[in-house]
Amino acid sequence: MSRSIRPDAVLVQAVIAGALSFAHLHDLAEAAGQTGWKAWAYPVSVDLLLVAAWRRLRTARRDRSAWTWFVIALFASLGANIATAGLLDLDHVPSWLRILVAGWPALAFLGGTLLVHSPTVPATPPQPVEEVTAPEVAMHRTDEPAPDPAPAATVPELTPAPPKPAPGAAAVPVALLDHARKIADAHRASTGSPMPADALSARLQLPAPMADAIAAELQLT
């Protein structure tokens, strides 16, 4: 399939501007004493320096040297356009302009060399945000079990010691002693006097040694 060629306004304008600038530079160089092929070489030198500086600015916009050579080449191109527009007598070119035209090749060569061989500083990409992680703790497993923690020191509670039975008396179970105490308390509450030991013994129907031991614990007479 063939693609149709459509005229681009920007491209047409660039061709016209380039042709006019090329012709103005040729006329200025020829008026400054550079005749023949030398007059045609000057427009090429100016345009090449302008393109080299522009390409350099595309990769490093903050490069001061690229801006400097871009301005120099642009000034040379615009200066030739203005000078050949009738503001300068091309039949009587001043000496300082002849010096500038004669020294332009060396200046253009220096600028092109610096633009091509200067290192390009790449744009630093944004650094990723590092996630703060907790430091890893190395765990070492051993066959020996960890020692048990020492028990906390406790203050013993101060409780009154139970009365010790008389020597030779029979040991009284706690439950039986509580039951006898309830009976003795009920007797004291109903009669107002302590319960006799023989009455408690008869009530509980216990052997004499056990009854004496309970009476001694309850302090019954």
Side-chain angles (χ1 to χ4, degrees):
M1 297 179 63
S2 60
R3 298 178 59 184
S4 59
I5 300 176
R6 293 179 299 177
D8 189 351
V10 178
L11 181 60
V12 173
Q13 185 70 19
V15 172
I16 295 174
L20 292 175
S21 179
F22 194 91
H24 292 160
L25 285 168
H26 169 268
D27 295 344
L28 182 63
E30 189 175 23
Q34 307 296 328
T35 59
W37 64 270
K38 294 181 292 183
W40 294 106
Y42 275 88
V44 177
S45 176
V46 173
D47 291 342
L48 287 179
L49 182 61
L50 189 65
V51 172
W54 174 75
R55 293 186 61 181
R56 179 73 176 185
L57 289 175
R58 291 188 62 185
T59 57
R61 293 186 177 273
R62 296 184 179 180
D63 191 351
R64 295 182 178 179
S65 62
W67 279 107
T68 301
W69 291 110
F70 181 81
V71 171
I72 292 175
L74 185 62
F75 180 79
S77 179
L78 292 177
N81 297 335
I82 297 173
T84 55
L87 299 179
L88 181 67
D89 186 4
L90 297 180
D91 294 333
H92 301 85
V93 178
S95 300
W96 61 267
L97 183 58
R98 293 177 182 271
I99 296 174
L100 289 178
V101 173
W104 173 258
L107 182 65
F109 176 76
L110 176 63
T113 303
L114 294 177
L115 290 173
V116 172
H117 296 285
S118 297
T120 302
V121 180
T124 57
Q127 300 293 333
V129 179
E130 298 182 359
E131 297 182 357
V132 179
T133 57
E136 297 182 357
V137 180
M139 303 296 293
H140 299 283
R141 182 179 178 182
T142 57
D143 296 335
E144 297 180 359
D148 296 334
T154 57
V155 180
E157 296 181 357
L158 300 177
T159 55
K164 297 181 179 180
V172 182
V174 178
L176 182 59
L177 182 61
D178 292 341
H179 180 62
R181 181 176 290 107
K182 291 178 180 180
I183 295 175
D185 292 342
H187 179 80
R188 181 186 295 272
S190 58
T191 60
S193 59
M195 187 176 186
D198 53 354
L200 180 61
S201 177
R203 177 73 178 272
L204 296 176
Q205 297 181 358
L206 295 175
M210 183 65 69
D212 295 339
I214 291 175
E217 291 288 345
L218 299 180
Q219 296 180 359
L220 300 177
T221 57

